[in-house]
Amino acid sequence: MSTPAVHKDPVLRIAKRDGLPHWKGWLIRVAAVVLALILSGAFIYAITRLNPVQVYEAMFEGAFGSSRRSWVTIRDAMMLLCIGIGLAPAFKMKFWNIGAEGQILVGGCMTAGLMLALGGTVPTPVLLVIMAIASLCAGAVWGMIPAVFKARWGTNETLFTLMMNYVAIQITSYCVALWENPYGSNVVGVINQSTKDGWFPELFGQAYGLNVLIVAVLTVGMYIYLKSSKQGYEIAVVGESQNTARYAGMNVGHVMMRTMFLSGAISGLVGFIVASGANNTLYDGVANGVGFTSITVAWLSQLNAFAMIVISALLAILEKGAETLQTAMQVPTSISDIVTGILLFCMLGCEFFINYRMIFRRKQAEAPAAPAAAESDQTESKEDASC
């Protein structure tokens, strides 16, 4: 009689969690940040023999060492936050908008062009409104183009939006050259420097104060839009299953184009903030990669508008603090990039432990059949006695 094959469970199984309390999820994220700081500190000491605590203090000093530095850090954090807010509805719909960089550039082109054309002819408040509307429209149109192709012909939105970034870069380069800038072929000089027509007025005593106010309003508005509005519900349903959305009577193509219109408009508004409120200039690298960095902000925050505030601030602090390392401690600025990479790796990795759990195989008893054999012997002896 053949012995039946013994089935053994794998040593390790990965199963999706049914649900994890929010406080436990955030506890895991905090632990990931602490682990990242420990790993980064060990790496810094191994390479430079410097005290990691002193390096972290220098980075913090570079970000908040003075009022000027603090506002620059806040400005950069607001840019990351604003783009992350713009990406949130598209990502929630599982439309992978990688084109925020290009949407920022076309919004910046519209803003800079209007500053040059209308500066001195209309009052600055009116000019600011015109530039804001124009940048919104430019970014919205730039975002809708891949959405239309996706809705009608099923194109790949990731490649489409990515390639449109390079088109926007060339358009920006052409505009810069067309406007006969005084500083070479790739930078428009400070626009309306003598009159400051089209510049953001000071708020809270700072030129960047209006940036904070605009982004704060957008943050609250996007949170309410995604959580409480009918359109936010439709975005969530389309993101979960397009077939379910169609069965429920939703026009998936319409939802897709409407959402990308909104996403592109917010990114275009960032171009307005950069050209009018932050740099007062334009060049093909004015976005400075924040369109791609904000993708990380959106994912790490789980598309939660308020959680993006923390992630944006953390990344901005690391970036601005790194600029002082080379001068203050003779440390290459690439060290900060490595620290940022370790931090992002740990924070992205912790999402795995939040969403999944690992199950290890337990040791099984070696002879489970022995009790059964003894029981059968007792039964046979009872039958013999009865006979």
Side-chain angles (χ1 to χ4, degrees), residues 72-91:
V72 170
T73 303
I74 292 172
R75 179 200 68 186
D76 292 350
M78 291 299 102
M79 284 185 59
L80 287 172
L81 175 60
C82 191
I83 303 169
I85 289 170
L87 295 175
F91 284 178

Side-chain angles (χ1 to χ4, degrees), residues 114-115 117-131 192 195-198:
L114 289 171
M115 286 177 71
L118 301 180
T121 60
V122 297
T124 293
V126 177
L127 180 56
L128 288 173
V129 173
I130 294 173
M131 291 189 301
N192 299 335
T195 62
K196 296 187 178 181
D197 291 327

Side-chain angles (χ1 to χ4, degrees), residues 167-182:
V167 178
I169 289 173
Q170 297 305 316
I171 291 174
T172 305
S173 298
Y174 173 78
C175 290
V176 169
L178 184 66
W179 291 329
E180 297 180 355
N181 59 89

Side-chain angles (χ1 to χ4, degrees), residues 48-60:
T48 64
R49 297 299 176 181
L50 293 174
N51 186 342
V53 177
Q54 294 179 348
V55 174
Y56 292 148
E57 289 177 352
M59 293 178 69
F60 187 83

Side-chain angles (χ1 to χ4, degrees), residues 75 78-79 200 207-216 273-274 277-278:
R75 179 200 68 186
M78 291 299 102
M79 284 185 59
F200 276 14
Y208 307 135
L210 191 57
N211 300 19
V212 177
L213 180 61
I214 292 173
V215 178
I273 293 174
V274 170

Side-chain angles (χ1 to χ4, degrees), residues 66-106:
S66 64
S67 175
R68 168 71 177 175
R69 291 178 179 178
S70 299
W71 276 102
V72 170
T73 303
I74 292 172
R75 179 200 68 186
D76 292 350
M78 291 299 102
M79 284 185 59
L80 287 172
L81 175 60
C82 191
I83 303 169
I85 289 170
L87 295 175
F91 284 178
K92 193 175 185 65
M93 190 179 59
K94 290 185 170 58
F95 189 104
W96 311 121
N97 179 17
I98 315 298
E101 197 90 359
Q103 293 150 21
I104 295 169
L105 288 175
V106 295

